[in-house]
Amino acid sequence: MHKLIHFADLRNFYKDMREALKAANRRAGAQQGLVTKARKKIEGLQQQLAAVEQERLELLAYRERAEQEAGQLAELLPRFRGRLLQVQQIEQALTNLADVKEAVDQQDRQSGSPTRQSMQDLKRAVENLLERADAVDFFEDEPESGHDPQS
């Protein structure tokens, strides 16, 4: 009988050992799953970091190009300001010519012909417009060398 009890104890012991082994394998599998999950997460974060680094490099290159273009524009800006002033002067001369032409047309309608003075005014307005237009160098290739186009 003693051997049967001993055998039953051994059987229970092995059963407990098998259960303990199963539990240990479950824990090991769970830990392995955590390791795999953590490894995948680390790889994903490394990919995101590489993408962010690539984007940073692209932004730095874009910034450098933008700074170069801004420098080029800064060189051209004084010339464009001069051209803008000249164009505004042409616009003013055109407005003046339109006003004088309207006055001449009214005189022509009222009295049948414009006066000598109004014709002189019209001629001066046309000459002023032509002078303003001739002063503009729209197609100049070389930058101005520090002189005013009006002088």
Side-chain angles (χ1 to χ4, degrees), residues 76-87:
L76 296 175
L77 191 59
R79 291 176 55 203
F80 289 136
R81 283 185 184 146
R83 298 295 185 275
L84 180 62
L85 179 62
Q86 290 173 337
V87 169

Side-chain angles (χ1 to χ4, degrees), residues 97-110 114 118 121:
L97 177 60
D99 292 343
V100 171
K101 174 72 169 100
E102 181 63 31
V104 169
D105 287 345
Q106 276 184 346
Q107 284 181 352
D108 189 31
R109 283 190 296 271
Q110 289 175 355
S118 62
D121 290 344

